[in-house]
């Protein structure tokens, strides 16, 4: 399973990339606004230098012609840019043109299996179903992931990867992995939560204390 980080904070991205576990990055207009970056193009350039895997950069327009031009501009930044387009009729038209031309496309704001089928037919590299936002309105976001994974499996010609988005906690990630989702894009805070277990901390404290009792050091051993 691939791990992307869902942030536009360059320092967070650098820190998480140093773990060696980061396969890509997703950004969106809200995350870019939060980052305070003055140049969106410059920010994506910088992220693409830090992470070699797919870096999603989202178009800002909503009409076909402008979205296409924006997508083409974003795709020029670096080979690993995945242009992010919304799941609308115009967005999927842009998806088809860009993906036919060899650009990676991430189709975002997916909330139904029917929408995911359309995105696969439009040649999306990634489909981004938003699990947390479905949970927020009293639906079960993980059921959508189960449906999309199952549907895509029926059609080997679909090359679209399921990129679980709007992840709010580690259970979203565990359930996604059990279902065989290809990728999860995870906020930095949730990535850090993945490491934690109170018994790990407790066990390590005991090992450190007991090791001290031996009076030995591994590095000074003959
Ligand atoms: O990047 C898209 C998605 O992950 C947004 O998540 O938490 O704003 O619903 P959230």
């Amino acid at each position: 399973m691939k791990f992307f980080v869902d942030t536009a904070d360059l320092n967070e991205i650098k820190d998480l990339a140093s773990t060696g576990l980061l396969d890509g990055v997703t950004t969106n207009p809200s995350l870019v606004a939060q980052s305070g970056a003055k140049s969106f193009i410059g920010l994506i350039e910088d992220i693409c230098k830090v992470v070699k895997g797919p870096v999603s950069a989202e178009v800002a327009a909503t009409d076909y012609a402008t979205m296409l031009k924006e997508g083409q501009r974003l795709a020029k930044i670096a080979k690993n840019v995945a242009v992010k387009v919304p799941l609308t009729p115009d967005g999927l038209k842009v998806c088809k043109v860009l993906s036919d031309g060899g650009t990676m496309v991430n189709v975002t704001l997916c909330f139904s299996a029917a929408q995911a089928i359309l995105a696969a037919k439009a040649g999306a590299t990634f489909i981004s179903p938003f699990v947390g936002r479905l949970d927020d309105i009293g639906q079960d976001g993980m059921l959508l992931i189960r449906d999309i994974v199952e549907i895509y499996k029926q059609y080997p010609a679909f090359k679209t990867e399921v990129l679980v988005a709007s992840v709010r906690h580690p259970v979203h990630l565990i359930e996604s992995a059990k279902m065989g989702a290809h990728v999860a894009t995870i906020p930095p805070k949730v990535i850090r939560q993945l490491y934690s277990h109170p018994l790990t901390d407790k066990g390590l404290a005991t090992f450190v204390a007991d090791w001290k009792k031996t009076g030995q050091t591994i590095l000074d051993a003959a």
Side-chain angles (χ1 to χ4, degrees):
M1 184 184 210
K2 285 177 272 194
F3 277 15
F4 292 179
V5 64
D6 199 23
T7 186
D9 181 328
L10 190 60
N11 289 328
E12 286 278 29
I13 293 167
K14 284 181 181 164
D15 186 46
L16 290 164
S18 74
T19 66
L21 302 180
L22 196 61
D23 302 299
V25 177
T26 54
T27 66
N28 64 36
S30 308
L31 293 170
V32 172
Q34 261 174 43
S35 78
K38 293 287 171 256
S39 161
F40 175 45
I41 300 288
L43 173 69
I44 299 298
E45 266 169 12
D46 289 346
I47 296 175
C48 287
K49 283 179 198 149
V50 176
V51 176
K52 294 298 157 213
V55 172
S56 288
E58 189 158 341
V59 296
T62 56
D63 67 284
Y64 170 75
T66 319
M67 267 194 282
L68 182 58
K69 279 189 209 142
E70 289 179 348
Q72 288 163 337
R73 172 68 185 92
L74 293 171
K76 275 197 193 130
I77 296 174
K79 278 194 167 44
N80 56 326
V81 165
V83 175
K84 213 169 172 190
V85 298
L87 208 152
T88 60
D90 277 7
L92 291 189
K93 271 168 71 178
V94 173
C95 173
K96 182 84 176 83
V97 174
L98 291 178
S99 59
D100 282 353
T103 296
M104 287 189 287
V105 182
N106 177 357
V107 175
T108 190
L109 292 167
C110 172
F111 293 95
S112 80
Q115 291 178 321
I117 294 170
L118 292 174
K121 285 183 68 66
T125 315
F126 304 105
I127 181 68
S128 291
F130 279 31
V131 294
R133 292 193 196 183
L134 281 171
D135 292 352
D136 290 347
I137 60 159
Q139 295 187 19
D140 185 348
M142 294 317 303
L143 279 184
L144 176 58
I145 303 302
R146 189 185 298 277
D147 281 351
I148 300 173
V149 169
E150 192 183 323
I151 291 166
Y152 281 8
K153 271 194 189 144
Q154 313 300 319
Y155 298 96
F158 284 173
K159 300 296 178 213
T160 306
E161 296 195 357
V162 179
L163 194 172
V164 181
S166 189
V167 165
R168 299 280 163 77
H169 47 69
V171 177
H172 276 149
L173 181 82
I174 295 163
E175 292 301 313
S176 300
K178 279 158 71 177
M179 290 171 190
H182 307 86
V183 194
T185 188
I186 319 167
K189 182 182 144 218
V190 178
I191 293 186
R192 296 201 174 90
Q193 283 178 326
L194 300 177
Y195 287 90
S196 301
H197 195 286
L199 289 181
T200 304
D201 298 340
K202 191 175 168 211
L204 184 59
T206 305
F207 287 157
V208 168
D210 287 345
W211 177 252
K212 272 195 188 132
K213 291 178 202 163
T214 73
Q216 298 181 51
T217 66
I218 293 171
L219 294 180
D220 292 336

